Amino acid sequence: MKLTAPLLLALALFTGGLRAEPITVVTEPWPPYVFLQDGQLRGADYEVSQQLLSGLGYQPEWRLMPWKRAQHDVLAGHADAILDIGINPERQTQYHYPDEPLSTSESVLFYRSGQPFPFTKLDDLRGRRIGVSAGYSYGNQAFLEADYLSREPCPSIEACLLMLQRGRIDMALINRSVGRYTLKLMGISDITHHTEPLSGGPVYLAFARRPELADLANRFADALRAFKQTANYQQILRTYGL
């Protein structure tokens, strides 16, 4: 009998319950992909990763923290994996990446509704103060190297939006879905965003670059590909408006 992908996943989930190895996963709050609400972790990528890691025989311990510290903890050996990290050549030498991404990030420029700075090309940002999250790679080298604008680091997405609302920056570069969801959670209605993305790319659950985690990265990729074919996965996306 040929096993379908969903059946293979179900079998993995069943057999994975026979053991449970601890694994520490770090990330920053990034709603609707991962966030804390009423004392409970929620989010699309959190739920997918939690289910798959449990099915593969692991018991995840989740820790939310600023993004730069999350990266430091994995590289220093204090954590085993990091959720929703982008990929670049340097990071590929630091982490084991599955060959299947969790999500695709598309970052746009958020601005105060009453002060709609124009943006259609990078040069439009000349002289502007752009809020960026500390430790993000963004995937747009021209933006990162431009010397005619100011990139102002923010410790968190919420801090970036508050800096924008108070006029300390002109615009903020944030994942479209994350910015919208965070504004809703914060009750802020006077900030909107440009439609044209400035950067983007896939994001992953990446594992510490230790030999014993290389195989887990491969197994996670296989399980994720199978899970994406299920109704359960589609329901998770609908729950978080994705």
Side-chain angles (χ1 to χ4, degrees), residues 132-154:
V132 296
S133 294
Y136 276 37
S137 65
Y138 286 109
N140 185 329
Q141 199 62 30
F143 168 74
L144 296 176
E145 294 177 352
D147 59 2
Y148 49 80
L149 56 86
S150 172
R151 288 169 295 275
E152 303 293 334
C154 312

Side-chain angles (χ1 to χ4, degrees), residues 9-233:
L9 176 64
L11 184 61
L13 292 174
F14 175 77
T15 56
L18 299 179
R19 69 190 193 284
E21 299 180 26
I23 186 169
T24 302
V25 186
V26 294
T27 190
E28 71 166 346
W30 209 51
Y33 300 99
V34 55
F35 61 104
L36 195 64
Q37 188 173 57
D38 299 326
Q40 298 292 322
L41 273 173
R42 300 191 62 204
D45 287 352
Y46 158 73
E47 289 192 18
V48 170
S49 299
Q50 174 72 18
Q51 287 192 39
L52 295 186
L53 288 172
S54 296
L56 291 169
Y58 291 84
Q59 182 177 342
E61 176 192 349
W62 292 87
R63 300 176 184 171
L64 297 185
M65 58 188 65
W67 187 242
K68 288 188 72 173
R69 182 185 160 196
Q71 294 177 80
H72 170 270
D73 277 14
V74 179
L75 298 178
H78 304 317
D80 303 304
I82 183 168
L83 183 70
D84 285 335
I85 187 168
I87 190 168
N88 60 37
E90 180 183 12
R91 286 177 175 174
Q92 285 181 293
T93 69
Q94 299 172 325
Y95 304 93
H96 288 300
Y97 277 87
D99 60 10
E100 181 71 21
L102 275 169
S103 304
T104 299
S105 176
E106 188 174 79
S107 295
V108 296
L109 288 163
F110 283 76
Y111 60 88
R112 294 180 295 279
S113 301
Q115 200 165 16
F117 295 107
F119 169 71
T120 56
K121 59 186 183 302
L122 191 59
D123 193 64
D124 292 335
L125 304 182
R126 188 172 295 273
R128 301 299 181 199
R129 300 165 299 166
I130 311 298
V132 296
S133 294
Y136 276 37
S137 65
Y138 286 109
N140 185 329
Q141 199 62 30
F143 168 74
L144 296 176
E145 294 177 352
D147 59 2
Y148 49 80
L149 56 86
S150 172
R151 288 169 295 275
E152 303 293 334
C154 312
S156 67
I157 300 297
E158 293 88 349
C160 233
L161 291 170
L162 288 174
M163 288 169 65
L164 178 59
Q165 187 182 45
R166 294 165 183 171
R168 293 173 54 191
I169 53 178
D170 300 315
M171 288 182 273
L173 184 59
I174 303 172
N175 172 284
R176 187 194 309 272
S177 297
V178 172
R180 286 177 173 176
Y181 211 95
T182 305
L183 286 170
K184 182 179 179 181
L185 292 176
M186 296 174 71
I188 296 176
S189 59
D190 58 351
I191 290 177
T192 186
H193 63 81
H194 289 288
T195 58
E196 183 72 19
L198 182 56
S199 69
V203 294
Y204 300 79
L205 176 67
F207 298 87
R209 200 163 182 85
R210 302 198 300 268
E212 67 272 19
L213 293 176
D215 179 63
L216 176 55
N218 293 329
R219 290 188 291 130
F220 184 86
D222 291 340
L224 179 56
R225 273 190 291 270
F227 189 66
K228 285 181 176 181
Q229 306 306 312
T230 66
N232 189 359
Y233 177 70

